Amino acid sequence: MSARFDCVATATPRTLPQASLPIMRPTGGAQVKTRRMCWSVIVALTILLAACALPRSGPSSADFARAERESSIRLVEATMADAAASQSNVDASFVPDWIAAPEAQTDLIGAGDLLSIGLSENDGLNLFPSNGQGTFRFDGLPVDPSGAIQLPYVGQVRVAGLTPLDARAEILKRLRRIVLSSDVTVVVKERHSRLLSVQGDVTHPGIVPLGPETTRLSRLLSIAGAAPANQELATVTVRRGSVSSSVPLVDIYERPAQDIAMQSGDVVIVRYTPAMVNVLGAAGMQGRVRITRRNYSLADAVADARGLNDSAASPGGVYLMRLGEAFGTTTMIPHVYHFDFRDPAQIAVASAFAVRDGDALLLSNAPFAQSHKILSAFSSVMSTARSATYVAP
C-alpha cells in the first residue's frame, strides 16, 4: 500500500517572497518503518562500539598485570624499603686520597713564575748599579722550564721548589763569592706554575692561581662565583690527572670532609642539568614535570601535575616506570612500582619515594571512566537516532 503524506506549510524568512514550502512527514505504515530502521541503526552502532576499544590516556591496571605475566616488566608493590633505596646517595664522596691530602704549600716557586729580585751591595764595587736607593732590581725575571733563573755575575740559580726565603738564601750564597757585603730580596710577582681551572655554571670561569685564597675547594668556588640555576641539584666535578670525582654542590659546604684541598692542575666543573619526570594518564596535567630538589618524591610529582583527575583517575592504580634496572642476571627490563593511593600508608611511601630523571609516572583510568565514555557515545547515537525519527528518509 502506498503511503499517504500530508503537506504542512511553514513560514519562510521575511527576506524571501511569502510562499509555502512543503515538508513531507511520513504517516501510517511509513512512520513505523522509519522508526524500525532507526532502531536498527542504533543497535548496529552499539554493537560496533562495544567491539572497538575506546581511546585511553594510558594503560590500565589490568594492562600492567598482563605485562608482568608476559615478563615484559617487573611489577613491584612499593614499600618503605624501596623508598629508602630510591633516595639520593648521601655517601657520594671524593676519592679518599683526596680527602686525606693536606693543603698544598702555596709559596713555592715553580717553572713559569715571574720573580722580582732586588740586589744591593755595600762594598763599593758597584757591580749592580743602584736605583738611587742602593738597590738594583730585576723585575719580571722568569723561571725557565728547568726551574732556574739567570743572574749577572752569579749565573744559573735553581729556585723551583724553593720558597722566596730559601731562594734568597741560595742567591746570597752565590753572590757572596764575588761581593763581600750584599743583600737580596725575592718576591713572586706572577704565578704561572700552580694553576687551577674553574668551568661550568660559575660567574668567573677561567684559570686561577693556586694561592692561600684557593687552597680549599669552597674558597675556589667562592672566588669563581658558583651560580647554577639550582644549587641544590648542582654537582661539582674535580678532575685530577686521569681521575674524576663528583659530589653535590651543597655537600661541599654541609660536609667538611668534601671540602678537599686543591692541587696544581686541578680542573673544577660546576654543572646543573635539569631533570624531568614524564607524567602520563589520568593526571590533572599531562607532560614533563621538572625535578626541583634533591629526593624529589613521587608525591611531589603528582602534586605538581595537579593531582589525580577526579573524574577519570583510579587512585588504586598509580605506577612509576623506571628503565635500566637489571632483572635477574642477564635481562634488562623496566621496573614498575605500584602505589595504591586508597591506602594512607601507600601515600606515605609515595612521599618518601624519590623519582629520577627519565622516570615515567602513569596514572591509570578508573574502570568507570571507560564506562562513562561508552555511555556518552551511546547517548549521542540515541539522540541522533531520536531526531531522525521525525524526519523522512
Side-chain angles (χ1 to χ4, degrees):
M1 178 182 295
S2 60
R4 178 177 60 85
F5 293 87
D6 297 329
C7 290
V8 180
T10 59
T12 58
R14 293 184 179 180
T15 56
L16 298 176
Q18 296 295 327
S20 296
L21 301 177
I23 295 180
M24 309 302 292
R25 294 177 181 254
T27 60
Q31 189 175 21
V32 173
K33 182 184 288 187
T34 300
R35 289 183 176 177
R36 287 179 179 175
M37 182 185 66
C38 290
W39 281 110
S40 298
V41 172
I42 292 172
V43 173
L45 288 176
T46 302
I47 294 173
L48 181 62
L49 188 62
C52 297
L54 290 174
R56 293 182 301 180
S57 57
S60 64
S61 297
D63 294 328
F64 281 108
R66 183 176 63 255
E68 186 188 31
R69 290 194 299 270
E70 296 172 352
S71 298
S72 58
I73 64 170
R74 169 97 181 272
L75 189 59
V76 180
E77 296 297 326
T79 64
M80 272 298 181
D82 296 317
S86 72
Q87 298 288 323
S88 295
N89 184 12
V90 296
D91 294 326
S93 176
F94 286 121
V95 178
D97 290 345
W98 298 1
I99 295 175
E103 290 188 8
Q105 190 172 352
T106 60
D107 59 348
L108 297 181
I109 300 171
D113 290 345
L114 298 182
L115 308 181
S116 176
I117 298 179
L119 301 175
S120 61
E121 53 177 312
N122 300 316
D123 58 1
L125 295 178
N126 291 323
L127 295 177
F128 305 101
S130 66
N131 57 3
Q133 298 178 350
T135 301
F136 179 82
R137 184 166 298 280
F138 296 92
D139 278 324
L141 188 65
V143 181
D144 65 25
S146 67
I149 58 174
Q150 295 287 339
L151 290 175
Y153 304 106
V154 177
Q156 186 180 70
V157 181
R158 183 171 180 81
V159 294
L162 303 179
T163 66
L165 285 178
D166 293 336
R168 172 183 178 274
E170 182 64 23
I171 295 172
L172 273 176
K173 184 173 65 173
R174 300 287 191 87
L175 191 60
R176 283 173 179 167
R177 296 175 184 175
I178 57 175
V179 178
L180 297 178
S181 178
S182 62
D183 196 9
V184 177
T185 60
V186 178
V187 177
V188 179
K189 298 291 289 185
E190 296 182 20
R191 292 190 178 275
H192 299 284
S193 60
R194 297 172 179 269
L195 301 175
L196 307 170
S197 176
V198 187
Q199 307 296 333
D201 296 329
V202 294
T203 306
H204 306 292
I207 304 300
V208 180
L210 176 59
E213 67 282 357
T214 58
T215 53
R216 290 282 173 182
L217 181 55
S218 62
R219 300 174 193 169
L220 175 63
L221 293 175
S222 298
I223 292 175
N230 187 321
Q231 294 202 12
E232 189 171 2
L233 295 180
T235 59
V236 176
T237 300
V238 176
R239 188 169 71 241
R240 181 171 294 174
S242 60
V243 179
S244 293
S245 187
S246 301
V247 300
L249 173 62
V250 294
D251 283 1
I252 295 170
Y253 302 98
E254 295 178 355
R255 300 168 60 199
Q258 304 307 313
D259 187 15
I260 59 174
M262 295 285 93
Q263 291 188 7
S264 177
D266 283 351
V267 178
V268 178
I269 304 169
V270 181
R271 181 183 294 112
Y272 163 64
T273 303
M276 300 284 187
V277 58
N278 302 308
V279 180
L280 307 171
M285 178 189 69
Q286 296 186 20
R288 306 185 72 192
V289 174
R290 186 184 294 271
I291 297 175
T292 56
R293 61 181 179 84
R294 293 176 74 182
N295 296 325
Y296 182 86
S297 71
L298 182 140
D300 292 328
V302 172
D304 286 344
R306 300 179 185 174
L308 278 66
N309 188 324
D310 191 50
S311 62
S314 170
V318 179
Y319 299 89
L320 181 77
M321 179 176 289
R322 178 163 292 169
L323 303 177
E325 294 190 359
F327 177 54
T329 56
T330 58
T331 306
M332 300 290 289
I333 64 173
H335 277 46
V336 178
Y337 296 91
H338 175 224
F339 301 83
D340 186 350
F341 274 29
R342 296 171 299 184
D343 182 0
Q346 282 280 284
I347 296 178
V349 173
S351 298
F353 196 102
V355 298
R356 302 176 187 170
D357 182 37
D359 283 351
L361 175 59
L362 302 108
L363 309 179
S364 64
N365 286 330
F368 175 77
Q370 291 300 104
S371 301
H372 178 71
K373 291 178 182 179
I374 294 174
L375 291 173
S376 297
F378 183 77
S379 175
S380 176
V381 173
M382 285 285 293
S383 177
T384 302
R386 190 179 299 111
S387 299
T389 60
Y390 296 102
V391 179

